[in-house]
Amino acid sequence: MQTATQIFNAIQADPQNQEFTAQGIQPLYHVIPTAEILIISQAPSRKAQKSMVFWNDPSGDRLRNWMGVTKAEFYDSGKVGVMPLDFYYPGKGAHGDLPPRKGFAEKWHEPLLELMPNVKLTLLIGQYAQKYYLQKIRQKTLTETVRHYADYLPAYFPLVHPSPLNYGWMHKNTWFAEDVIPELQQDVRQILRE
């Protein structure tokens, strides 16, 4: 099994990431052996990559609110890991950020998951993470996958992305705040207490 440092160096040396490495941009993820909650989303935001602090943006504030955790619990508890499908900001698209690059997660997720043997719950945030990890067992739409979140527990908890772009979705799907968030907070709190 490769060490965390070996994997980090290999990611930076990968020709797929040469453009970022040449600019001095490091991959942004957080993998620790004590992690019990793992967050998988599409990629870091521009603001997060610039600060080199994962989920350091309005989406991160909302995610922590949904989880019912403080910034200290999120960043310093040693129980939260972060492993997006791409470790670099992919750029801006017509309707939000561009998707994560193909082949990236296939290359790096498995060796990093081996470094986190204690993960009890994985939050799959957004359609890309759900498509990659749930594959054929996901519902036809993201909304239906999130609505049927209980079908994927205890291993996975699918969520809509907490981006401000999804305010309309939240307003339209009031069941999310009423039913899904309380369950998420309960599951997260139970793990943090153990």
Side-chain angles (χ1 to χ4, degrees):
M1 184 169 73
Q2 291 179 290
T3 67
T5 300
Q6 287 171 330
I7 296 170
F8 183 85
N9 291 338
I11 293 168
Q12 288 194 297
D14 190 317
Q16 187 181 22
N17 307 321
Q18 189 172 22
E19 180 185 337
F20 297 101
T21 304
Q23 297 176 62
I25 300 171
Q26 295 184 340
L28 185 56
Y29 60 93
H30 184 62
V31 169
I32 47 174
T34 55
E36 296 184 16
I37 299 169
L38 178 60
I39 299 169
I40 298 178
S41 59
Q42 58 191 64
S45 69
R46 183 171 43 83
K47 183 178 179 184
Q49 182 168 279
K50 189 174 182 180
S51 68
M52 285 308 294
V53 179
F54 52 88
W55 290 100
N56 180 31
D57 51 27
S59 295
D61 293 338
R62 178 173 259 200
L63 175 61
R64 285 183 284 277
N65 184 266
W66 287 355
M67 293 172 68
V69 299
T70 64
K71 274 193 167 186
E73 287 173 318
F74 189 79
Y75 289 111
D76 305 325
S77 69
K79 291 200 171 189
V80 179
V82 174
M83 191 176 68
L85 295 178
D86 194 333
F87 304 153
Y88 299 90
Y89 172 63
K92 202 76 176 164
H95 305 287
D97 295 338
L98 290 171
R101 293 171 295 165
K102 291 184 178 178
F104 192 95
E106 288 86 345
K107 199 180 297 184
W108 301 113
H109 275 207
E110 191 172 333
L112 288 171
L113 283 169
E114 289 179 9
L115 300 176
M116 296 183 289
N118 301 309
V119 170
K120 298 175 181 174
L121 180 66
T122 299
L123 310 187
L124 298 175
I125 298 178
Q127 63 173 329
Y128 298 110
Q130 290 163 24
K131 184 177 181 182
Y132 186 82
Y133 275 91
L134 300 180
Q135 299 185 17
K136 292 181 179 178
I137 63 170
R138 74 186 195 284
Q139 302 293 321
K140 289 185 178 180
T141 66
L142 175 139
T143 299
E144 287 307 303
T145 300
V146 173
R147 190 191 300 270
H148 290 92
Y149 71 92
D151 294 349
Y152 309 103
L153 291 172
Y156 297 113
F157 204 124
L159 297 167
V160 66
H161 197 285
S163 166
L165 295 174
N166 285 328
Y167 285 171
W169 186 94
M170 292 280 295
H171 185 71
K172 184 178 177 183
N173 297 283
T174 55
W175 50 267
F176 181 76
E178 293 165 0
D179 303 327
V180 180
I181 290 178
E183 177 68 29
L184 173 65
Q185 291 180 351
Q186 180 178 315
D187 292 354
V188 167
R189 185 54 50 196
Q190 182 174 343
I191 291 171
L192 290 179
R193 272 199 306 256
E194 291 171 355

